[in-house]
Amino acid sequence: MAKSLTMQATTLVLILMSSTLLAAQNRPLTVWLIPSEEAEARAGSDSNDITQEIQQFNQTLKDGPVRVLNTVPPLDQQLIVWNSAFAVPNWAWVKNQTETIRALQRFATLHKTRINVRFVTWDKAFASLTLPRTPDENNPPPDVVQIGTTWAAYFASKGLIVSRPHNGLRVGAWQPVMGIPSAALPYINDTRLLFYWKRLPRQDLSAPPLVLDTSSWKSVLDSLRNQGGPEDRLAFAGGLTLNLLYDYSMLVWAGGGDSITSTNWRVHADLTSENALRVPRLLAEAATEKNGRRLLAVPESSHQELTKAFAAGEYRGTIEPAAFISRWKKDFDKTFKGAKRFWDYAAAAVLPQPFHGGSYLTVMPSPDLSPIAFDLAEFLATDDEYTTVLARNGHLPALRAGYGMDVLLDWLGGSADEAKQFTNLVQQATIQGRSLPDLPNWPTAIESTEVQEAMQRVWRRIGEGNLKSLNIEAHVAEDTLNLKIDRVTQLRHFLAQFWWLGATMAFCVVAIFGVQKQRSLTRVRVALAQVEAALEREEIALDQIQKLRGFSAMALLALARYHTSLRAYEPVSDGLADAKKRSIIAAGINGWRRGRNLENWKPSPIHESIWRAVLLGFDVVIEPDVFEKWETQSKHKPQHPRKFLEDLGILRKSSVGDELESPYFIDVLGEEDILVQMPFLFEQALACLLQNAIQASDRECNGRGPRKPILISVDSLRVTVRNAGDPFPCAIRELINDCTIPEEFENGVLAAVRSKGGPKPGIGLTEAYTIARQYYGGLLIAEGPPSISICLKAEAKVQ
């Protein structure tokens, strides 16, 4: 009897499971997508015409496997509404998604299923996706959704993302989100460029072309001021949209700031520091009538509305995602019908600090979810025919080889040099672009209406050129943001609001327990001691960071060149590669040891630091562990580094070499009564420059000698290394000398190392620049024979 009941129960479970699986397979899949095909820019707005077009549209899809939810009740009533984000009626962008619908039809036919598709815009998507998931035949909840990359953490934290089962071929493309494996599939990359009119559409080819220098925002404005006409202006979209913070963050980054910083214990917004306000103030000044010219405008319009004005020639330049090139070209070709060539008028450039974002495809939970939902997401992200459509429209399919640049290049006119240049710009901006942090409360806090309104007021002040009000509104926007994301700000706000409560409680305590005054004072002292101890712990932590840097610094130096002589490690190694590894580890350990020595962080006579740097330079390039040997010997019998190196046969005593294999000669000249701050870091930077000088001396004589002198001169402003050899490449000299903010140098180095051919800074020069820029006055390379300086003060940077 029990066995029979068990078999019946098992049969019932199997029937229920089969029924559920059958129901999942039979019900349509629902996908929500952001429109990927451009809206008709000149669409009509007559409601009668729209109603008739919707009926005709539905007729073409009748009895097919795909249904567009936007065109059936109750959503169809929204199609006659004007969409401020797209600057057209909603119907104008829904009806143009023909290639997307064809792709979904192909998938549905292949998998013998039905698909509901709803097209949504970014400004409405989040609110709609977070509504209760109630069954509705005419407006069912989605299975597959397109979400912004900054939303993924929120959806994961709310359990609104399903992990992809590990039974597909493309599981590796799915990315984890907040510990949920295979939860998000990269779909589209978003990178932004500065688009501008090389010649205005009303001009002919005799007009000189405008060429914007986008190495900094100052150079952008200078280019427009010097080359543009009296009415030419750049325009930023100031409408109340989600783009306000993204666009503003690019300004903050370009000034050397960080709009939102996320660490393990704190998320904090900075919109008011000197770096954060540097570029916004510059743009605000450009928005005034200063010098008789207004170079900037901030109309309160969406990006879509602004681009319509831009395409009509009302503005000379604007910032848009790379996809805008497709819409711009279509509109231009439609306007001039071949009478004018697009690339004679259109131009684009990489921003001083571009933004890089994008979107994912994710699958949402459902009790009868079909596994085909994951196949649909993968199809949209990888299908060759559909990703070709995405690429042709200027979107960058994340999982297509080269982000579909070949398709975009062909559509833009692959034979045109300008088209090739544009695709190169997109790739460069993608590489250099910065992203905002992924936070679970991003869409609810940072993209909240209060934050958007605060950011809009900041943009207004920029457009008005009101510097005083800009500072005020930046503080308000920063406080608004931090009250939503920063625990420290939230605590301060609470204490500021309820100070009276604390004061009242304190009064009551004193009144009631006055007799315990001495005990209270003791508690106060204990509390102060705790605060002092906390500050001391923080100081110790920072001190430990300084000391630990010694390991990474010396290991990096060793990695930069490796030792040309590894005699100390070859006998105990399993080959040259192993000897190099052992050398790097030893260098790192010695660096850590030096970093722990407090004397190396106290001000030091500059000539002493220079000679220690000389030892470090030879330690890395010529003789491993020579610095450690000098330290060990000096404990018993102090010896000057020069004499020590001469005794080893590394340095010669005379500036003139008389032997074929003559060793090196280094001389230190100039002021001696100068103290260098944080000598450990100074020595690391100078050692980087000296190792390059030693290598250059070797190359100059083909390693056969005699090697020409390396001279180090000292004055109150700088320490300069001069040596024989080829001059620094012009591009490297400009990179070192002209980068005024860290981001400029970072972008220049990344562009150089990620591009084929052309000069690029080595590890040593890069490390020397970062140390000198962060702790001293930077580096300075002179024209002509090799001559490079560590500027001890910022004013030494002036050549």
Side-chain angles (χ1 to χ4, degrees), residues 613-627:
V614 171
L615 282 166
L616 289 174
F618 283 115
D619 190 306
V620 173
V621 182
I622 302 300
E623 182 71 30
D625 305 331
V626 69
F627 191 98

Side-chain angles (χ1 to χ4, degrees), residues 671-688:
E671 300 182 30
E672 298 186 13
D673 56 346
I674 297 174
L675 293 179
V676 63
Q677 302 297 317
M678 289 179 290
F680 178 85
L681 293 173
F682 173 81
E683 291 159 22
Q684 292 292 153
L686 185 58
C688 291

Side-chain angles (χ1 to χ4, degrees), residues 165-330:
H166 284 246
N167 58 3
L169 297 177
R170 297 195 60 85
V171 171
W174 289 79
Q175 297 182 358
V177 180
M178 292 189 66
I180 302 177
S182 305
L185 187 66
Y187 185 41
I188 289 175
N189 282 332
D190 172 21
T191 189
R192 305 191 181 189
L193 299 172
L194 177 57
F195 293 92
Y196 65 96
W197 286 103
K198 187 187 304 181
R199 297 178 180 88
L200 289 168
R202 58 180 175 270
Q203 295 177 318
D204 57 35
L205 289 179
S206 63
L210 170 66
V211 179
L212 291 183
D213 176 2
T214 59
S215 58
S216 69
W217 277 107
K218 183 180 182 301
S219 65
V220 171
L221 297 172
D222 288 343
S223 300
L224 186 60
R225 181 182 293 109
N226 297 331
Q227 302 176 44
E231 301 299 323
D232 288 348
R233 291 175 295 168
L234 300 178
F236 293 82
L240 194 65
T241 69
L242 300 179
N243 285 295
L244 290 170
L245 180 60
Y246 293 89
D247 290 347
Y248 194 81
S249 292
M250 289 189 285
L251 307 185
V252 175
W253 294 335
D258 199 350
S259 54
I260 299 178
T261 303
S262 177
T263 64
N264 290 333
W265 71 280
R266 187 184 184 189
V267 179
H268 180 251
D270 173 23
L271 305 179
T272 60
S273 67
E274 187 64 31
N275 287 345
L277 281 171
R278 180 175 288 115
V279 174
R281 286 171 178 163
L282 178 69
L283 296 182
E285 290 177 354
T288 65
E289 298 288 344
K290 189 176 181 180
N291 298 324
R293 290 278 309 277
R294 286 191 66 203
L295 298 175
L296 185 129
V298 185
E300 289 197 16
S301 58
S302 68
H303 275 254
Q304 295 287 338
E305 291 173 310
L306 178 58
T307 52
K308 290 179 70 174
F310 167 77
E314 294 181 29
Y315 300 107
R316 198 67 191 251
T318 191
I319 296 175
E320 283 296 316
F324 171 67
I325 193 69
S326 178
R327 186 165 76 253
W328 190 12
K329 187 175 186 300
K330 287 177 184 176

